[in-house]
Amino acid sequence: MSLLRRAKTWEISESEDSDAETKPGLDSDDSSQTASTEKQEQGSHNSAANRGRSAALAPPAGGSGTPSPARKRRSKEEIEEDRLKVKERKEAREKQRAARAQEQDERRQEQQRRREAAKTLKSLRPENCLKCITVCIHPVLLQQDGSDVLLDILVSLDWKFSIESEQLVGSIAWTQDLPQGEGGMVSVVEEEEQVLLVLSLADFMDVVISVNRIIHSQGVETGVGSFWSPILEFLNRDGKKVVTLLVTDSEPDYRSNTHSVPLQYKLGMDHLDIEEVLVYLQLYKNISVVFLDSWQEVTDHVCAVTKALSKRPFKLLTEGAELPFCVDGSWASGVRVEKDGSGLIQVWSRQIQQLNRVSPAVASAVTASYPSPQLLLQAYNSSGSEEDRKGLLAGLSAKSGGKERRVGPEISARVYRCLTAHNPQLVLD
């Protein structure tokens, strides 16, 4: 446009150069008209350029640049509903978190209880319980000849013992220091009810005479002033004690099975009187009498009682279960049944093998044809007569050791009676 404008200007100046000298008025008029024309053209050019720039910068019609309408305000009900939803989600997350924390805490507590139970069970085993038992010996026994055998044996076995003068004169007792409470942190010393009273023949003669007087006086205890009196006081003070009299003598021919013969001569009493005294002590006072030859036999008896006391806590723990003969883990006649039911067919086979003369091969033949007792009962119900039910399993083939034989009618009838009889006293064979 600028080139064209210049060309026009140049043409006007060239064509009218001669006329400009003769017509100055016209020249001025033409120049003013030319200037106004140029301004108009320049203005139109500038307006077109401005329109082009604005058109380039303006967003396309109907595009995303169209201003969105004003956002609609939510009502109070909607705001409250949204707030409640957020609160519910937050509470649900908190409940899940609390449930997970509680589950972890319960798992830790269960693991702790199992560890404590295992620790308690280990402490109650006989080899560990022996370390908690103390043999209490009255000092009077140490004055007798041969009592050093007992002390030597206790020292060699590394068993704990103590000299107690507060207990019954001439007695041997036991105490246990076993863990109690949570984790076994607290130990309580308990006195065992077993008490051994070592007597010589002279002391036992005093007891026999006193008991014989009680028997003939119709139960009136007139043993005051004798050796029988402290025994009665001891039993009356603690009725749970179990006293055993160990009667020993230094004679070599003194034996427990021939004791009645020397007693007849030494005590001046016949055999029936001695038996009557022993029965009275056993029935009315719960006192047993054991006749021993020497202190070596007394020591052996003490060791036997100590070992029995060490085994008792573990036996009481196992017998406290509902089925004490069924221990945890695998055992000779048990089959493990999983949660998915695997192992039930083995249980069914073992159940059949409990019958007399039923071998594993016969049980396998039955379980192969009828994998569960319910299927066998259904087969019995579908059979026509009683004889058909009894002989239902007779034709099954049982293979054992390369040989094949039938189950037979006898075993078939026995299995039928076992599953269908209502009499618990019925003999299957």
Side-chain angles (χ1 to χ4, degrees), residues 370-400:
Y370 304 97
S372 68
Q374 186 66 28
L375 295 176
L376 183 56
L377 290 175
Q378 292 177 2
Y380 284 146
N381 294 331
S382 61
S383 298
S385 62
E386 185 76 10
E387 295 298 329
D388 294 339
R389 297 190 187 99
K390 290 182 179 180
L392 180 65
L393 305 177
L396 297 180
S397 177
K399 297 181 180 180
S400 176

Side-chain angles (χ1 to χ4, degrees), residues 213-227:
R213 290 175 182 174
I214 295 175
I215 295 174
H216 293 292
S217 61
Q218 297 180 355
V220 180
E221 297 179 353
T222 59
V224 179
S226 64
F227 194 82

Side-chain angles (χ1 to χ4, degrees), residues 51-346:
R51 285 195 300 272
R53 285 193 297 270
S54 62
L57 296 174
S64 60
T66 305
S68 59
R71 187 175 181 181
K72 184 180 179 181
R73 295 187 61 183
R74 296 184 300 169
S75 61
K76 293 183 178 179
E77 291 78 5
E78 294 175 347
I79 295 174
E80 184 66 20
E81 184 178 358
D82 293 343
R83 189 181 66 81
L84 292 177
K85 290 181 179 179
V86 172
K87 184 178 179 181
E88 290 176 357
R89 288 195 294 268
K90 184 177 179 181
E91 292 178 352
R93 289 194 298 269
E94 291 178 354
K95 288 181 179 180
Q96 293 178 357
R97 194 180 299 110
R100 287 194 297 268
Q102 183 179 1
E103 184 179 356
Q104 293 177 358
D105 188 33
E106 291 178 355
R107 191 181 299 111
R108 286 193 297 267
Q109 292 179 359
E110 181 65 22
Q111 293 176 356
Q112 182 67 20
R113 283 194 294 267
R114 289 181 179 179
R115 286 193 294 266
E116 292 175 355
K119 185 178 179 180
T120 303
L121 181 62
K122 184 179 180 181
S123 64
L124 293 180
R125 293 189 177 277
E127 60 272 13
N128 296 324
C129 191
L130 263 176
K131 303 176 183 178
C132 303
I133 295 180
T134 303
V135 182
C136 304
I137 305 173
H138 196 273
V140 173
L141 295 178
L142 302 180
Q143 302 176 4
Q144 299 185 16
D145 296 336
S147 60
D148 54 342
V149 176
L150 175 61
L151 300 181
D152 294 339
I153 293 297
L154 295 179
V155 172
S156 63
L157 295 175
D158 198 16
W159 290 356
K160 295 189 296 184
F161 65 93
S162 62
I163 309 301
E164 301 287 343
S165 59
E166 293 82 4
Q167 59 193 28
L168 184 62
V169 177
S171 64
I172 300 175
W174 290 266
T175 59
Q176 288 200 32
D177 188 8
L178 296 178
Q180 304 287 339
E182 291 292 335
M185 299 302 294
V186 180
S187 59
V188 179
V189 178
E190 297 181 355
E191 294 184 359
E192 294 291 342
E193 68 274 8
Q194 296 291 334
V195 177
L196 300 181
L197 185 60
V198 182
L199 300 177
S200 62
L201 282 179
D203 297 333
F204 182 67
M205 182 176 59
D206 185 39
V207 172
V208 170
I209 294 174
S210 301
V211 173
N212 194 21
R213 290 175 182 174
I214 295 175
I215 295 174
H216 293 292
S217 61
Q218 297 180 355
V220 180
E221 297 179 353
T222 59
V224 179
S226 64
F227 194 82
W228 176 245
S229 179
I231 299 178
L232 290 178
E233 293 178 0
F234 178 77
L235 293 176
N236 293 332
R237 185 168 61 250
D238 192 349
K240 296 182 179 180
K241 295 295 184 179
V242 179
V243 179
T244 301
L245 302 182
L246 301 183
V247 183
T248 181
D249 189 20
S250 59
E251 292 186 3
D253 59 344
Y254 188 81
R255 296 293 186 269
S256 60
N257 56 352
T258 60
H259 175 68
S260 58
V261 176
L263 274 182
Q264 294 178 7
Y265 296 101
K266 293 180 179 294
L267 302 179
M269 303 173 63
D270 58 2
H271 178 72
L272 294 179
D273 291 338
I274 297 175
E275 292 294 336
E276 190 177 9
V277 169
L278 297 180
V279 170
Y280 175 85
L281 293 176
Q282 180 67 46
L283 294 181
Y284 291 92
K285 301 300 179 180
N286 196 20
I287 296 177
S288 302
V289 181
V290 179
F291 302 104
L292 301 175
D293 187 22
S294 61
W295 263 97
Q296 181 61 48
E297 294 187 3
V298 173
T299 303
D300 296 340
H301 189 86
V302 171
C303 294
V305 175
T306 306
K307 291 180 179 179
L309 292 177
S310 67
K311 297 178 182 179
R312 189 173 63 174
F314 188 77
K315 288 184 178 180
L316 292 177
L317 182 63
T318 55
E319 292 176 358
E322 184 177 358
L323 297 177
F325 53 87
C326 295
V327 297
D328 295 336
S330 60
W331 55 299
S333 301
V335 177
R336 183 178 181 85
V337 179
E338 303 294 342
K339 293 183 179 180
D340 57 354
S342 59
L344 287 174
I345 190 169
Q346 286 84 2

